[in-house]
Amino acid sequence: MALKIGATAINKLYLGSTAINKAYLGADVLFSGVFSPASLFAGGTDGVWYDPSDLSTLFQDSAGTTPVTAASDPIGYAGDKSGNDNHAIQATAAARPTYQTGPARATLDKVDDRLSVTVPAGGFTGTMVLGTDQGTASYGVTIPAGAYDIGGRSGLYFPGNAIVGQLIRDGALSAGEAAATEAYFVANGATASYGAVTNFSQFWQNWSEITSFPLIDTSSGTSFGYAWSNCSSLTSFPLIDTSSGTNFYVAWYACTSLTSFPLIDTSSGTGFGYAWFNCTSLTSFPLIDTSSGTNFAAAWFNCNSLTSFPLIDTSSGTNFSVAWYNCTSLTSFPLIDTSSGTNFSVAWYNCTSLTSFPLIDTSAGTGFSRAWQNCTSLTSFPANAFDNISGGDFTDAFTSTALTETSIDNVVVSLVASGIAAGTRVFDQSGGSAPSSTGEAAITTLRSRGWTVTVTGGY
Amino acid sequence: MRLTIACPDALRADGNHFAMVLGYGPADAETYVALNWQDADGNLYACASLIVSDTFVSKAQSTLSRPAWDVDNIIDMDAARRAQAALVFSLTPVAAMPDKLTACAGDDALATLAAMGLSQVEVDI
């Protein structure tokens, strides 16, 4: 029963200037000014609402026969309070979350614990509000019909260690509705902000249902390893505070729908390995501060929609292996500082739109195997590029390229200038032009120093 | 007591029959599923963690009998006994072994797995 004027429900009721919380007609509540998430499902709106603070909804077994009564009881059944009967269950005993009190919550071992709800035909496209022991936030979601994990994704990945409240509505919540739901969960004991969390590793890994991510407080976060890995439905990402972050390893791995990326503060970041691996929809990349970064291995692997790359500070970078592998739309590459780089193996493999390459600092480099292999449009390569290198592994470095005669001459003459006469000494080129007599003379010198050299034309 | 159990790939089938004997029904055949964990040598494990009673521990180490619910003989009791024979139970973390079903007590499942020498298998990169 609801209090209405005509068809309009009354949201607030006053006696003079005093707000009324509840009005009764006999025993029936005519009006309640206290927000309940149940109100979000009025009129048969589909979704789920799990509330571990309501013991009447929790059972130890998946059949819903043995009630949860005390801390440490397993939760095999969580009743849906949305009114849609989308109850969540776990039939496997070892994978059941555990009920705990103070606050009432479903704790997750992050090894295998989760409940499963069968999302009805048509799925849910709307908002998920998740209140946990470590933070509370609202997400845009698209969840297909079928089994869906409540708790750790695959039992493993969850932004916290316990569920205090979780609501998913088919149909987006307004900002006010989401805020009210978050406040409701916080009142039940959920931690409001993620601001105290330092380790966000794997929090949202494989949460492919998330279509939008909230601007949460991540200012204390130092580790973001794998945090959004495989969030394949995210099309954008907010400008969160990552100023304390040092570890961004695999952070946005395979976020294949991201079309842009914000200028987050990565000034403390040292590890960027695989960070934007396979972000295939990124068309541009911001000039983030990577001045502390040492590991860029596979960082932009297969970002095949990037048409340009910014002049980021990579002066501390040592490992660039596979960094820009298959960035097939890059038409140019900036003169980044690679003076500390030792490993350039496979770095620009299959960057098929590059026609020229800048005179980067390769003085610390020892490994260049397959670095420019299959850069099939690469015609121009500068002189003196390898004058000061520290090692001579150029296995397949220029295989399947389009180097001009001058460019291949530049490369082999520079290798001679390096003076490398020990360790691995291999150089391969195919495609493009054969070297001139100048290049051939350089190759003769290299061979006299123990190099194995293969070039176009067979010299 | 929270018990965290590492089941090597070779013992997964046997381990799930053992889990059904100790558990409540056929769904417990899904106890050891994904090989998400590995030791330093690269051996893969499926892991589970749950709060158990002393009765559970005692039952796991006693002569096994077919549970009443298994009227259809779903459980391969020989397989369950093989898993039981491979069971290593410890109140403190011990290293997981590729030929043992290693069960260790510890309040924090992830910390226990780490102390057992196991780390999560990384994504396919």
Side-chain angles (χ1 to χ4, degrees):
Chain A
M1 189 180 300
L3 193 60
K4 296 182 178 180
I5 297 178
T8 305
I10 303 299
N11 291 324
K12 292 188 176 179
L13 192 63
Y14 292 88
L15 184 61
S17 60
T18 303
I20 302 299
N21 284 332
K22 285 193 176 176
Y24 294 85
L25 180 61
D28 295 329
V29 177
L30 266 186
F31 170 81
S32 176
V34 179
F35 172 78
S36 168
S39 65
L40 302 173
F41 300 96
T45 304
D46 210 350
V48 304
W49 170 28
Y50 304 114
D51 180 8
S53 73
D54 183 350
L55 267 183
S56 72
T57 65
L58 303 181
F59 295 85
Q60 297 187 46
D61 58 324
S62 58
T65 55
T66 306
V68 168
T69 58
S72 298
D73 279 353
I75 300 174
Y77 178 109
D80 172 21
K81 293 180 69 174
S82 76
N84 291 296
D85 289 339
N86 293 318
H87 311 302
I89 63 166
Q90 176 52 265
T92 302
R96 290 173 183 158
T98 305
Y99 175 72
Q100 294 294 356
T101 55
R105 62 198 189 278
T107 61
L108 306 162
D109 60 22
K110 299 179 91 165
V111 175
D112 57 354
D113 285 358
R114 78 272 204 192
L115 301 165
S116 181
V117 58
T118 301
V119 174
F124 296 151
T125 297
T127 304
M128 174 170 65
V129 186
L130 181 56
T132 82
D133 60 323
Q134 298 196 13
T136 297
S138 299
Y139 311 82
V141 292
T142 295
I143 304 172
Y148 177 72
D149 286 341
I150 298 296
R153 184 66 66 255
S154 308
L156 298 169
Y157 314 124
F158 186 78
N161 294 316
I163 303 169
V164 178
Q166 183 163 3
L167 180 147
I168 305 168
R169 191 177 76 168
D170 187 24
L173 298 180
S174 68
E177 289 170 332
T181 307
E182 290 184 20
Y184 184 90
F185 290 162
V186 170
N188 278 348
T191 299
S193 165
Y194 280 98
V197 176
T198 57
N199 186 356
F200 287 94
S201 297
Q202 300 187 311
F203 265 32
W204 296 277
Q205 182 173 342
N206 292 356
W207 284 51
S208 58
E209 73 274 26
I210 299 177
T211 55
S212 66
F213 193 82
L215 185 63
I216 59 172
D217 182 354
T218 54
S219 57
S220 299
T222 56
S223 178
F224 294 93
Y226 292 85
W228 299 278
S229 166
N230 282 312
C231 286
S232 55
S233 298
L234 278 180
T235 55
S236 63
F237 196 79
L239 187 62
I240 59 173
D241 184 346
T242 53
S243 57
S244 301
T246 57
N247 177 13
F248 294 94
Y249 187 69
V250 204
W252 296 276
Y253 174 103
C255 287
T256 52
S257 297
L258 275 181
T259 55
S260 63
F261 195 79
L263 187 62
I264 59 173
D265 184 345
T266 52
S267 56
S268 301
T270 56
F272 293 95
Y274 298 85
W276 298 276
F277 181 108
N278 210 36
C279 287
T280 53
S281 298
L282 276 181
T283 55
S284 63
F285 195 79
L287 187 62
I288 59 173
D289 184 345
T290 52
S291 57
S292 301
T294 57
N295 183 2
F296 294 95
W300 298 276
F301 179 108
N302 202 36
C303 288
N304 55 22
S305 296
L306 280 180
T307 55
S308 63
F309 196 79
L311 188 62
I312 59 173
D313 183 345
T314 52
S315 57
S316 301
T318 57
N319 188 353
F320 294 95
S321 65
V322 209
W324 297 276
Y325 179 107
N326 209 43
C327 287
T328 54
S329 298
L330 277 182
T331 55
S332 63
F333 196 80
L335 184 60
I336 59 173
D337 184 345
T338 54
S339 57
S340 301
T342 58
N343 186 355
F344 295 93
S345 300
V346 205
W348 298 276
Y349 179 99
N350 209 42
C351 288
T352 53
S353 297
L354 282 180
T355 56
S356 63
F357 202 79
L359 186 60
I360 61 172
D361 185 339
T362 59
S363 57
T366 57
F368 299 90
S369 63
R370 304 175 70 192
W372 296 274
Q373 184 177 356
N374 221 36
C375 289
T376 52
S377 300
L378 183 62
T379 55
S380 176
F381 206 84
N384 307 111
F386 305 116
D387 285 3
N388 301 300
I389 56 174
S390 300
D393 185 1
F394 285 79
T395 306
D396 284 321
F398 290 92
T399 297
S400 299
T401 57
L403 295 183
T404 63
E405 179 185 86
T406 300
S407 292
I408 183 59
D409 284 353
N410 285 342
V411 171
V412 291
V413 167
S414 183
L415 291 178
V416 170
S418 75
I420 297 288
T424 303
R425 285 152 288 165
V426 178
F427 176 84
D428 296 311
Q429 175 224 4
S430 68
S433 300
S436 71
S437 56
T438 301
E440 290 177 354
I443 291 167
T444 299
T445 303
L446 288 172
R447 286 173 176 152
S448 74
R449 294 176 182 173
W451 284 71
T452 301
V453 178
T454 305
V455 290
T456 299
Y459 179 76
Chain B
M1 164 173 57
R2 174 168 287 281
L3 205 57
T4 299
I5 309 157
C7 180
D9 189 14
L11 283 174
R12 264 197 300 172
D14 291 356
N16 281 322
H17 285 284
F18 190 29
M20 282 192 282
V21 172
L22 301 176
Y24 303 98
D28 291 314
E30 301 292 314
T31 298
Y32 306 108
V33 183
L35 296 165
N36 288 323
W37 301 85
Q38 62 183 353
D39 62 22
D41 295 326
N43 298 304
L44 296 174
Y45 299 81
C47 294
S49 183
L50 70 164
I51 292 178
V52 299
S53 63
D54 291 342
T55 309
F56 178 94
V57 175
S58 172
K59 186 177 174 185
Q61 298 178 101
S62 305
T63 302
L64 299 181
S65 56
R66 188 177 299 279
W69 62 260
D70 189 20
V71 294
D72 295 328
N73 290 335
I74 294 170
I75 299 174
D76 178 342
M77 292 302 294
D78 290 337
R81 290 187 188 99
R82 281 195 302 271
Q84 186 187 38
L87 178 65
V88 173
F89 173 75
S90 175
L91 289 173
T92 56
V94 295
M97 291 171 279
D99 59 347
K100 299 292 182 186
L101 187 65
T102 311
C104 299
D107 290 338
D108 183 331
L110 294 179
T112 302
L113 286 170
M116 293 166 74
L118 299 178
S119 59
Q120 244 182 66
V121 176
E122 295 187 345
V123 293
D124 186 20
I125 49 182

